[in-house]
Amino acid sequence: MLSIDDISLRLGDFFLSNISIDVEKGEYIVILGMSGVGKTVLLEILSGILHSEQGRLILDDKDITREKIQRRPFGLVYQDQALFPHLSVRRNVEYGLRCQKKPASEIKKRVNHIAAELGIQHLLQRHPSSLSGGEAQRVALGRVLVTDPRILLLDEPLSALDTQARSNMRRLLKNIHRRGQTIIHVTHDYEEAISLASRIVLMENGTIIQTGSPDEIFRHPKSQFVARFVGIRNFFQGQLISAGEDGQRTATFTTDGIAFSISSKCESGPGFCMLRSEDVTLSSKPDRTDGLNKLPGTITDIIPSSLGVEVIVDIGFEVSAMVTRKTIRRLDLDIGNQVFVGFKENAARFISMAADGTISAGAPIPVFFSAGNRRQFTRTA
């Protein structure tokens, strides 16, 4: 459907570099990254607000790299909605159709239809100043969707909403996607990405560092930055001692004088071991099960969270375990208690480090650019 081929653009000190993504019809792609990495710049290149210095945009075998914004079949919804304050909700939603010079009867029919789908019929006579954040975001979506865009471009659409409005908007976006709408959505919220994306494109320093399904990104991050960004708390620098040439996958990883077994075919050398908190178990006594690491430690903190309870254990270095409240009660866990930290060999992932200190499987340690480096644009009615 859409091929984003080697797109690059420099804006002051910021450089969007060599962006390539193939977007299939009906996909929900979430572009994930910290503020200032170029996510919105990419959307503005796709929409035609900006033009790249190199690379091409190919839509259904047609080169649209220099196509005018008015002739691109994309719809862009900004984080701040950019509704026209002097127009009613109905006039805001009608705006794109009026620009296309559609007949009045068709405009009325399509606006009423999209208003019903988005649940904003009762808002049509009101003005943006009287809307809540969630209502305004639905109106902004309606203004774009009524024009029947080939691709819906969303710029941080949930970031300004409260918890309930964010949950409602997620459900709405899922329904829009299920009806076949192709969506490219940028965000810095990895929970948002997990809940919505069919594919995630992770950006850092103006370039793509990993692409894959939510499961691939969050279970198998390819760099230290990716692991930290997606919330993997257990990330340890140390040394791998491989199993040798006998074909065995079990290797030994050492860090801060502590050694444990992991599954890895990497060669011996320095690197990082990462372990998801959800893959760490706690027990009151050691378990001798094959393939299971058991390390004694002391609980230093217990932190309730929306996913359960995070327990921090000092085993010579801190390990985070995400357990259920039932486990807390069953083991009578408390700060200062002695416990055993357990995890399977194949739950730990090793990322090797090159001799010069760089990580071989991913991007360099992050250097973030300020969003203020971007050129400013004025969107007018």
Side-chain angles (χ1 to χ4, degrees), residues 41-106:
V41 171
L42 178 56
L43 286 192
E44 290 178 336
I45 290 173
L46 296 181
S47 67
I49 294 173
L50 293 173
H51 290 290
S52 61
E53 294 169 348
Q54 74 172 48
R56 300 187 305 161
L57 299 175
I58 307 296
L59 180 65
D60 294 336
D61 300 321
K62 179 184 177 183
D63 191 330
I64 62 166
T65 310
R66 300 296 167 188
E67 193 76 83
K68 292 181 179 180
I69 186 171
Q70 297 88 347
R71 301 186 64 181
R72 298 192 186 200
F74 304 152
L76 173 59
V77 180
Y78 276 100
Q79 175 182 348
D80 61 2
Q81 297 105 33
L83 297 176
F84 306 133
H86 60 292
L87 299 180
S88 68
V89 167
R90 177 179 286 280
R91 296 285 288 188
N92 265 280
V93 177
E94 290 176 348
Y95 183 78
L97 297 176
R98 289 182 178 275
C99 289
Q100 295 174 357
K101 301 188 184 304
K102 298 293 184 182
S105 58
E106 181 180 347

Side-chain angles (χ1 to χ4, degrees), residues 10 65 177 229 238 316 346:
R10 184 176 293 280
T65 310
H177 176 237
F229 184 74
N346 60 9

